[in-house]
Short mmCIF file of all heavy atoms in Angstrom, two decimals:
data_model
loop_
_atom_site.label_atom_id
_atom_site.label_comp_id
_atom_site.label_asym_id
_atom_site.label_seq_id
_atom_site.Cartn_x
_atom_site.Cartn_y
_atom_site.Cartn_z
N LYS A 150 0.45 -16.84 9.03
CA LYS A 150 0.94 -16.91 7.60
C LYS A 150 0.43 -15.58 6.86
O LYS A 150 1.17 -14.97 6.18
CB LYS A 150 0.49 -18.14 6.89
CG LYS A 150 0.92 -18.26 5.49
CD LYS A 150 0.49 -19.59 4.90
CE LYS A 150 1.14 -19.68 3.40
NZ LYS A 150 0.71 -21.08 2.84
N LYS A 151 -0.82 -15.30 6.96
CA LYS A 151 -1.37 -14.22 6.22
C LYS A 151 -0.83 -12.88 6.62
O LYS A 151 -0.54 -11.95 5.82
CB LYS A 151 -2.92 -14.22 6.33
CG LYS A 151 -3.55 -15.34 5.58
CD LYS A 151 -5.07 -15.32 5.71
CE LYS A 151 -5.67 -16.52 4.96
NZ LYS A 151 -7.21 -16.55 5.07
N MET A 152 -0.58 -12.77 7.97
CA MET A 152 -0.02 -11.37 8.47
C MET A 152 1.47 -11.27 7.97
O MET A 152 1.94 -10.30 7.62
CB MET A 152 -0.06 -11.34 9.90
CG MET A 152 0.63 -10.07 10.50
SD MET A 152 0.38 -9.82 12.24
CE MET A 152 -1.19 -9.01 12.25
N ALA A 153 2.19 -12.47 7.89
CA ALA A 153 3.49 -12.41 7.47
C ALA A 153 3.59 -12.07 5.97
O ALA A 153 4.50 -11.29 5.54
CB ALA A 153 4.18 -13.84 7.64
N ILE A 154 2.60 -12.48 5.15
CA ILE A 154 2.55 -12.11 3.76
C ILE A 154 2.21 -10.61 3.55
O ILE A 154 2.90 -9.94 2.80
CB ILE A 154 1.44 -12.96 3.06
CG1 ILE A 154 1.85 -14.42 2.98
CG2 ILE A 154 1.27 -12.40 1.67
CD1 ILE A 154 0.80 -15.29 2.41
N LEU A 155 1.32 -10.12 4.39
CA LEU A 155 0.99 -8.72 4.38
C LEU A 155 2.22 -7.85 4.67
O LEU A 155 2.46 -6.92 3.93
CB LEU A 155 -0.16 -8.43 5.36
CG LEU A 155 -1.51 -8.98 5.05
CD1 LEU A 155 -2.46 -8.71 6.17
CD2 LEU A 155 -2.13 -8.41 3.78
N ILE A 156 2.87 -8.21 5.78
CA ILE A 156 4.08 -7.34 6.11
C ILE A 156 5.15 -7.47 5.10
O ILE A 156 5.79 -6.44 4.75
CB ILE A 156 4.64 -7.83 7.51
CG1 ILE A 156 3.58 -7.41 8.65
CG2 ILE A 156 5.91 -7.25 7.75
CD1 ILE A 156 4.00 -8.02 9.97
N ALA A 157 5.32 -8.62 4.51
CA ALA A 157 6.40 -8.82 3.52
C ALA A 157 6.10 -8.00 2.36
O ALA A 157 6.93 -7.32 1.73
CB ALA A 157 6.48 -10.31 3.08
N CYS A 158 4.86 -7.95 1.87
CA CYS A 158 4.45 -7.27 0.62
C CYS A 158 4.53 -5.80 0.88
O CYS A 158 4.95 -4.99 0.04
CB CYS A 158 3.05 -7.65 0.14
SG CYS A 158 3.04 -9.41 -0.52
N GLY A 159 3.93 -5.37 2.03
CA GLY A 159 3.99 -3.97 2.35
C GLY A 159 5.40 -3.46 2.42
O GLY A 159 5.71 -2.29 1.91
N ASN A 160 6.27 -4.13 3.15
CA ASN A 160 7.64 -3.74 3.35
C ASN A 160 8.44 -3.62 2.04
O ASN A 160 9.24 -2.67 1.84
CB ASN A 160 8.33 -4.71 4.33
CG ASN A 160 9.88 -4.42 4.49
OD1 ASN A 160 10.08 -3.42 5.15
ND2 ASN A 160 10.68 -5.18 3.94
N SER A 161 8.13 -4.62 1.13
CA SER A 161 8.96 -4.76 -0.10
C SER A 161 8.40 -4.02 -1.31
O SER A 161 9.23 -3.75 -2.23
CB SER A 161 9.07 -6.21 -0.43
OG SER A 161 9.41 -6.98 0.65
N ILE A 162 7.13 -3.59 -1.27
CA ILE A 162 6.62 -2.98 -2.46
C ILE A 162 6.19 -1.55 -2.27
O ILE A 162 6.90 -0.60 -2.67
CB ILE A 162 5.40 -3.80 -2.98
CG1 ILE A 162 5.82 -5.19 -3.34
CG2 ILE A 162 4.92 -3.20 -4.43
CD1 ILE A 162 4.61 -6.15 -3.77
N CYS A 163 5.07 -1.31 -1.63
CA CYS A 163 4.66 0.05 -1.49
C CYS A 163 3.78 0.30 -0.27
O CYS A 163 2.83 0.92 -0.26
CB CYS A 163 3.93 0.55 -2.65
SG CYS A 163 2.58 -0.50 -3.26
N GLY A 164 4.30 -0.27 0.82
CA GLY A 164 3.67 -0.04 2.13
C GLY A 164 2.15 -0.33 2.34
O GLY A 164 1.70 -1.37 1.85
N ASN A 165 1.42 0.68 2.75
CA ASN A 165 -0.02 0.51 2.97
C ASN A 165 -0.73 0.15 1.69
O ASN A 165 -1.70 -0.74 1.86
CB ASN A 165 -0.58 1.89 3.47
CG ASN A 165 0.10 2.30 4.77
OD1 ASN A 165 0.57 1.43 5.59
ND2 ASN A 165 0.12 3.61 4.99
N SER A 166 -0.45 0.64 0.59
CA SER A 166 -1.14 0.35 -0.64
C SER A 166 -0.97 -1.17 -1.07
O SER A 166 -1.92 -1.80 -1.55
CB SER A 166 -0.68 1.31 -1.78
OG SER A 166 -0.87 2.56 -1.57
N ALA A 167 0.28 -1.64 -0.82
CA ALA A 167 0.46 -3.09 -1.15
C ALA A 167 -0.26 -3.97 -0.15
O ALA A 167 -0.91 -4.99 -0.58
CB ALA A 167 1.92 -3.39 -1.13
N ILE A 168 -0.27 -3.60 1.09
CA ILE A 168 -0.94 -4.41 2.01
C ILE A 168 -2.43 -4.41 1.75
O ILE A 168 -3.12 -5.49 1.72
CB ILE A 168 -0.76 -3.78 3.46
CG1 ILE A 168 0.68 -4.03 3.94
CG2 ILE A 168 -1.63 -4.50 4.48
CD1 ILE A 168 1.08 -3.28 5.21
N ALA A 169 -3.00 -3.14 1.46
CA ALA A 169 -4.40 -3.13 1.11
C ALA A 169 -4.75 -3.91 -0.14
O ALA A 169 -5.87 -4.52 -0.19
CB ALA A 169 -4.78 -1.67 0.89
N ALA A 170 -3.85 -3.95 -1.12
CA ALA A 170 -4.11 -4.65 -2.44
C ALA A 170 -4.08 -6.24 -2.28
O ALA A 170 -4.81 -6.94 -2.84
CB ALA A 170 -3.19 -4.19 -3.47
N VAL A 171 -3.03 -6.59 -1.39
CA VAL A 171 -2.82 -8.05 -1.19
C VAL A 171 -4.01 -8.64 -0.36
O VAL A 171 -4.42 -9.81 -0.48
CB VAL A 171 -1.49 -8.34 -0.65
CG1 VAL A 171 -1.38 -9.69 -0.15
CG2 VAL A 171 -0.38 -8.03 -1.63
N ALA A 172 -4.48 -7.87 0.63
CA ALA A 172 -5.42 -8.34 1.59
C ALA A 172 -6.59 -9.17 1.01
O ALA A 172 -6.89 -10.26 1.37
CB ALA A 172 -5.87 -7.29 2.46
N PRO A 173 -7.30 -8.52 0.01
CA PRO A 173 -8.51 -9.37 -0.50
C PRO A 173 -8.10 -10.56 -1.23
O PRO A 173 -8.89 -11.54 -1.34
CB PRO A 173 -9.15 -8.31 -1.43
CG PRO A 173 -8.08 -7.35 -1.81
CD PRO A 173 -7.29 -7.24 -0.64
N VAL A 174 -6.84 -10.62 -1.84
CA VAL A 174 -6.41 -11.80 -2.58
C VAL A 174 -6.18 -12.95 -1.64
O VAL A 174 -6.54 -14.15 -2.00
CB VAL A 174 -5.16 -11.48 -3.36
CG1 VAL A 174 -4.73 -12.75 -4.10
CG2 VAL A 174 -5.45 -10.33 -4.41
#
Side-chain angles (χ1 to χ4, degrees):
K150 184 176 181 179
K151 291 180 180 179
M152 178 175 276
I154 293 174
L155 291 175
I156 291 175
C158 292
N160 177 73
S161 307
I162 304 175
C163 50
N165 300 331
S166 298
I168 292 171
V171 167
V174 176

